[in-house]
Structure formats: structure tokens, C-alpha cells
Amino acid sequence: HNNIEEDDDVDIDPPVSLYARVATTVLIGGGIYYLYTEHGSTIARYLPWPAKQSSDTHPTAVKGQSCSKSKLRAKLAPKSEMSYQEQVNWAWIHPSVYVVGSNEYGLVDPMHPGPGVGLRAAVPGLEGKPLRSAAFAKTHAAAVDVDGNLYQWGAGFSADSGPHMPQCTLRDSGITAMAASRDYVVLLDRKSRIRLVRGDNFQSAEQAAPTLEFEPRLGWRENVVAVSAGEDHIAATTSSGHVYTCALGPSGNDRGQLGHGPTTTVQPFVFKRIKSERPFSSAVWWPPYAALAMGQYSEATRTISELTPLRALWDHGIFQPNVVRAQRIARGAKTSYFQVSRSGADLDLLAVGCGIDGQLGNSALTHIQGRPTRVTVLSGGGEIDPKAGLRRPVGVRSLSTNGSSDHVVMVCDDTTNVQLDKSAQSVTKSLLFGYDVVVWGSNSSGQCIPDRKHRFAEPEHPPPLYLSKSSSGQDQSSPRLQAAPRQWVSTSSFLNSGSANNNNKKYLVEQEFVTGPDVTAAFLKSV
């Protein structure tokens, strides 16, 4: 006892607090979870013990199933003798619906429905067809060609969920645009009529395509210019700046998403105009969570029952539309996006909401982002205009994300060397470059980049839509997908129409990209 008291050099460790123990445990657990989710398959190769297999699964069966899926991927992937440098020319002469991602519900290839992921294929039966529009729900999809033929496919559409071809369910040359909800396909025609077609084929679309009414009616020379769909409701924007919303079922206004208040009794299948003194240029279905850009998520900001300016887009919350103007809006399952211009110069892409799968695009896996954050890679960029010799901002040409998906595909508005040719003779004469395409967010089914399974927290360049047989090793190292710009094409130049096309019709087209739950699609759109 005396020796211990006389020894002044003895160090006694301070007690470890409970907070430090919990924090250490959380950090170690989070690191293990990240390594497991992102690199689990790679780590498993170096473990000293073999991976366990279920008692009802034979090892050879698993190997055979994996081999068959690999062969299926190779079989379905579009192939061409053209190099990747010619992908713009390739897109103009190979019109179809090209889908990448999960084929669980037969949306990628309805002839081979199943649990395959990372597939990329041209939807059979739609080869050689420029489209007016295409839309994807979770279990069904639809497309309208240039002649007004509506094609539907998917497990939700097919009665037996087995192999099937896209079926033409309606013919109307007046159809101009479409959207897809959980149970319906929404059609807009030149007469500003909006009709509903069921997503299944239990009844003929010709017999079950009711026209929805507007309350109040559209004004003189007022037309519907755009339509969008959520899970159980739709929104329409008119040329006069009015927004009409309509419930498609009992949950169509459970969060006040129709803009009439959450307690307002609404009549399903009837469009009602939102009361506002401001005109609008676009409207989209808005997701829940913190994606309303109202700041910190709480019970007070959980439901917004009336139109409210997004003051979070401006510094200090001061509403200054002359300083910052919103030019484009989009929404995903739990995330919202805004393209804004600041003082008429640079363009910024902002994101808000859930980002656990990287869909915020800000290089972070944020659970909830209550205020808009910049997608840095796609904000403030610019390039020199070769004609004017001046710097021009590079913004968004198109931005697509689905109300049931957690990934984004964006076409950049960069400069190309394509010049319009009404003779449609220049589609194969020279090498052309198109618009850059980037993707980010969830990639669990290979819907962003088929050969990689991890999520992308910032924009990445996906590969081309086809496999080239003639590209050199340098060309194949890291080819990037490019969207074909607007150009005149002739049906006589289509190489995948299946039969000789002697009509020689000409269409002004541009390649468009759309998303669905766990899928990404591209098609040649008639404009």
C-alpha cells in the first residue's frame, strides 16, 4: 500500500463513457455494413470457409442457372457491326425500345420473363418503329408509335405472366403523349382529351378508354400541353398555365397531393383545377418524405396542404424569382430535382429528399436531405460555343426519373456537330457525336450500368446500347453512351424493320430516355 502511494509514475486509464462505446460500435458496424453491401461478393472469395447454400438448392443447379442467365444476357444484348463511334448514326437507323435493368415483370424482354437483372434488350415487336411516347410502371409498360398504335406488355398486362409479345390494344392517330400509373395508362390526344386504359388486358382498350372531364372546363383555345402520373393520381398542365389534378382511386389524395387540401372530398376520375393566382409551365407528381424541400423533416412539414413557394431555393429564404428561376422540375420515388438559373448565367441542378441509394447525386449517401443540395458535377458547367465563340452554360436537355424508382437518367444539353437535313440522306454519311448521357442512384438491377451492381452517388457515364463487333481495343476501353440529336430520318434507311419498307416516310426524330422501376429505356421519339 505504501509503495503504491509513493509511486507517482503509475498511470490510471480514465473510464470509457457509454457514449464513446456506442459511437465506436456504430462506426464499426457501419463500416462492416458498407463493405458487405458494396464489396460482399469480392470479400467472400477470400474467406477461409465456403459459402453456405440452402438445403433445397443443388450446387450444380446454381451454377447452371448462373450460366444460363449469363448466356441470356449475351443473347438478348443488341449487337451491331457499327463501331461505338457511330452510335448516333446507329440510333437513327435502328429505331426500337431498348430497355436495361430487371426483367422480373417482363419489361425488358416479355418473351423471357424472369428474375434476370442487368439485362439489356430491344423489346420484340417494336423494331423499326419510331415512337411518340413510352412509359413504364412497376408491372406493365406501354408505347405509342408514330401511327398512333398503343402497345402494352409486362407481367401486369399479360393474364398468365408468361412469355408474350407486346399487344396493340388501341389505334388512335391523335395520341400525342402518355404516362403510366400503378393500374392505368394515361393518354393525351391532339384534342386535349385525356383517356384511361387499364394496365391489364382483362378488357379491350377500345371498350374501356373513358374520357375524363374537367371542372371547370378548359377555356377557349386552352389546350392540355403535358400530363404526368403518380401511383394513384395524375396531373395535367394547360397552355393557360392552369394545373388540373385527378384521383384514380381512394388513395389519390391521402397526402393532399391533388393540391386541394388533404381533407377535401374529391371525386375520382374527374379533373379539378388547382386554385392559384400564378400560371404554371409544368407539374409533376410529388413524392413524400423530405422531398418537398421544406427544410427539416417533421410532422409540421410532413404534409403541405396548399401551394407553397419553395423559398429554400433562394438565399436566406427570400423569394427572388428575378435572381433564381426554376426552369425544370422532376421527381423520383423519394427525391425531387430542380434545374435553376442564377442571375441568367450558370445553371444549377438541385436535389432534395432521400439519398440513401445515391439518388441525390452529391457524392454522399444521405438518408434525408430537407434542403436542396447541388449536384456538383452537373452544376455551373459551361463550354465554348464554336459558332459564337462565347461561353454557354451546359444544362439539362432531359431529366427522367420515375415515381417508383430510385435512379436518374439525364441527357446533357451540350453542343453537337449534327445539322438538320430534311433530305434524310446524311444519317450514315459521316461520324457524328451526340449529347452526353449520365446516370446515378440505385443500380440493384443493373438499370444504370448493367455490368456493375453497386449504387452510384454521383453521375456516371453508361455504356452504349449495343455491343459492337468491329470496334478496336481503344474504342472498347471505355465507350460512353451518347443520345442521338434531332434529325430527319427516312423509313427506307431502317435496318431493323424486319421487312422491306417501301413507304419511304420521313420523320423528325430525337432519341429520348425514360426510367421505370428498376429499368431504363431509350427510343427514337418523333417530334
Side-chain angles (χ1 to χ4, degrees), residues 28-193:
I28 295 176
I32 295 175
Y33 175 76
Y34 173 79
L35 292 175
Y36 172 77
T37 56
E38 300 295 336
H39 308 286
S41 59
T42 303
I43 296 176
R45 301 175 185 173
Y46 301 97
L47 294 178
W49 57 85
K52 291 184 178 181
Q53 298 186 16
S54 60
S55 58
D56 58 344
T57 303
H58 195 273
T60 57
V62 175
K63 183 178 180 180
Q65 185 180 9
S66 175
C67 182
S68 63
K69 290 181 180 179
S70 178
K71 291 181 179 180
L72 182 62
R73 292 191 187 99
K75 177 182 178 181
L76 296 181
K79 304 173 183 63
S80 176
E81 297 293 339
M82 302 177 70
S83 70
Y84 291 131
Q85 296 177 350
E86 301 173 285
Q87 58 180 299
V88 171
N89 311 79
W90 179 89
W92 285 333
I93 59 178
H94 292 85
S96 185
V97 179
Y98 298 94
V99 190
V100 178
S102 171
N103 200 38
E104 180 180 1
Y105 298 103
L107 301 184
V108 178
D109 184 0
M111 292 300 295
H112 300 85
V117 298
L119 301 180
R120 49 177 169 173
V123 177
L126 299 179
E127 299 92 343
K129 297 181 183 295
L131 303 181
R132 293 179 183 175
S133 185
F136 291 79
K138 186 169 184 63
T139 63
H140 67 96
V144 178
D145 66 12
V146 288
D147 297 320
N149 299 313
L150 172 64
Y151 293 89
Q152 294 180 260
W153 71 95
F157 171 77
S158 175
D160 57 0
S161 301
H164 63 282
M165 293 284 288
Q167 181 178 340
C168 181
T169 57
L170 181 68
R171 290 180 172 85
D172 185 352
S173 59
I175 299 175
T176 58
M178 64 183 303
S181 71
R182 182 185 57 212
D183 301 319
Y184 294 94
V185 175
V186 186
L187 303 177
L188 170 65
D189 64 18
R190 294 191 182 96
K191 298 181 180 179
S192 292
R193 294 180 303 179

Side-chain angles (χ1 to χ4, degrees), residues 289-306:
Y289 303 97
L292 293 174
M294 292 296 165
Q296 185 175 0
Y297 183 62
S298 64
E299 287 296 326
T301 60
R302 181 179 180 181
T303 301
I304 306 300
S305 58
E306 59 184 11

Side-chain angles (χ1 to χ4, degrees), residues 327-393:
Q327 296 184 338
R328 186 186 302 270
I329 57 177
R331 88 286 181 267
K334 305 171 187 176
T335 317
S336 304
Y337 304 90
F338 317 90
Q339 178 184 277
V340 299
S341 61
R342 301 186 182 278
S343 302
D346 291 337
L347 299 175
D348 286 347
L349 181 63
L350 308 179
V352 63
C354 178
I356 193 61
D357 286 316
Q359 58 267 51
L360 290 175
N362 62 348
S363 303
L365 302 178
T366 308
H367 281 267
I368 293 181
Q369 177 75 29
R371 295 181 63 85
T373 179
R374 295 173 75 239
V375 183
T376 307
V377 178
L378 302 176
S379 299
E383 62 181 6
I384 301 299
D385 189 336
K387 294 182 178 180
L390 302 175
R391 181 184 183 276
R392 61 179 290 270

